[in-house]
Amino acid sequence: MLTTIFYILSAITLATAFMTVLSRNPIHSAIYLVICFFSIAGHYAMFNAQFLAMVHLIVYSGAIMILMLFTIMMMNFNEQKIRKNNLIVVAAVIALCLVAYVLLATFLKAQPMIEQYVITGEDYQSIKVLGKVLLDDYLVPFEMAAVLLLTSMIGAVLLSKKDKKIKA
Amino acid sequence: MLQNILQEIGIENYIFLATALFCVGIFGVLYRRNAIVVFMSIEIMLNAVNLLLVAFSTYHQDAAGQVFVFFSMAVAAAEVAIGLAILVAIYRNLKSIDIDDLRNLKG
């Protein structure tokens, strides 16, 4: 049962990720990416990581995708120039194969380190426990994340503001 | 039912899934020339790593992995906001966000 759900979700994740990369229209890419993010949230829900599943839905499928779609709609790509260099495609495919090879080799080599998985039965990922961990052990990084978000907000506003005419 | 998810599916399947997703992201960064799609590919790579972090958090029954995913999501949100603002600024100047056109620094 769980295995079937896992395979279906993984198929959706990989297929939509590929379609994100391959589809010509950036808006289609964005919509495929939303589906991809939803399926990843499904993976999180399967791990019973409720907090992360919700945050993932809110942050990625909500905020980030809206931001991307707005940006795409602000720039109108009326003409899609197709002058793809064949060399780039070949190089990209070769790089993809090499990276996949290296990563798989690394992880397969690491396989013997993975022993049998044991369930201790203790609660470690409910929202209650996670909140305690976040605000006890990781309080300073948490506040730093707040400062980072504030800084990035100010930076985004400054960057996207129209340049004022410099008065002589 | 959800308690024994890793016993039923196995951590290696999640490793393979995350690897495949990461490679798709790398392929997108190298293959596409539209800067926004390159951005989306970077998001895919970030998500692959987040997925693996959550998998190993469950594997070790430790909440630290999930806290790290939370922070990486915060950083990703900041990164997207800044990156898209930069893209808008570039588009305003060049009327294009094709990364082949961004060669002003080439000299």
Side-chain angles (χ1 to χ4, degrees):
Chain A
M1 178 60 187
L2 272 181
T3 322
T4 321
I5 300 176
F6 170 76
Y7 281 124
I8 294 173
L9 270 181
S10 307
I12 295 174
T13 310
L14 285 178
T16 50
F18 248 113
M19 289 309 293
T20 306
V21 171
L22 293 181
S23 64
R24 290 239 167 272
N25 191 336
I27 295 211
H28 293 176
S29 287
I31 289 176
Y32 282 124
L33 196 59
V34 173
I35 304 174
C36 183
F37 285 161
F38 268 106
S39 67
I40 288 175
H43 281 294
Y44 291 164
M46 267 173 72
F47 276 121
N48 204 12
Q50 315 118 346
F51 175 69
L52 276 186
M54 290 321 294
V55 170
H56 190 272
L57 278 185
I58 293 169
V59 171
Y60 277 100
S61 313
I64 289 183
M65 289 325 296
I66 292 292
L67 218 60
M68 288 214 167
L69 278 173
F70 259 109
T71 316
I72 291 171
M73 287 168 186
M74 269 168 68
M75 316 165 180
N76 50 340
F77 309 108
N78 32 21
E79 94 282 21
Q80 287 280 324
K81 304 173 280 184
I82 304 166
R83 47 176 172 82
K84 188 133 304 193
N85 194 342
N86 263 336
L87 206 60
I88 291 178
V89 180
V90 174
V93 171
I94 290 176
L96 169 75
C97 295
L98 285 179
V99 170
Y101 175 71
V102 169
L103 284 178
L104 281 181
T106 315
F107 284 128
L108 288 179
K109 208 65 173 160
Q111 203 79 313
M113 297 292 287
I114 298 169
E115 329 106 39
Q116 195 53 50
Y117 166 70
V118 281
I119 303 167
T120 55
E122 83 180 293
D123 179 20
Y124 62 96
Q125 60 179 5
S126 69
I127 296 176
K128 198 173 162 191
V129 174
L130 218 55
K132 277 191 184 134
V133 171
L134 197 58
L135 291 183
D136 279 348
D137 303 344
Y138 294 92
L139 182 62
V140 179
F142 185 75
E143 298 295 338
M144 284 299 161
V147 175
L148 175 75
L149 286 174
L150 176 69
T151 319
S152 75
M153 188 183 79
I154 296 171
V157 170
L158 275 180
L159 275 173
S160 51
K161 208 173 58 174
K162 277 219 169 69
D163 285 337
K164 271 184 255 163
K165 293 261 162 53
I166 300 165
K167 282 171 191 160
Chain B
M1 184 182 87
L2 287 170
Q3 287 299 314
N4 56 358
I5 178 166
L6 280 181
Q7 271 176 345
E8 202 155 317
I9 294 169
I11 188 97
E12 61 274 358
N13 281 331
Y14 278 101
I15 291 175
F16 293 143
L17 172 65
T19 309
L21 209 55
F22 194 84
C23 292
V24 171
I26 288 178
F27 180 66
V29 169
L30 294 172
Y31 175 69
R32 292 302 298 261
R33 286 169 307 124
N34 188 329
I36 288 190
V37 182
V38 171
F39 237 77
M40 293 179 191
S41 308
I42 293 173
E43 292 301 315
I44 291 176
M45 292 203 280
L46 277 169
N47 270 294
V49 177
N50 281 353
L51 183 62
L52 204 54
L53 269 172
V54 175
F56 274 99
S57 158
T58 305
Y59 181 72
H60 290 290
Q61 313 241 321
D62 188 351
Q66 302 201 1
V67 174
F68 268 73
V69 172
F70 176 73
F71 286 130
S72 108
M73 276 178 189
V75 174
E79 173 239 336
V80 166
I82 293 291
L84 289 179
I86 292 175
L87 282 187
V88 169
I90 288 173
Y91 182 74
R92 212 173 267 150
N93 286 323
L94 293 184
K95 297 292 166 221
S96 149
I97 53 164
D98 192 324
I99 54 173
D100 283 351
D101 293 338
L102 307 181
R103 49 183 70 201
N104 285 348
L105 281 181
K106 206 174 167 187

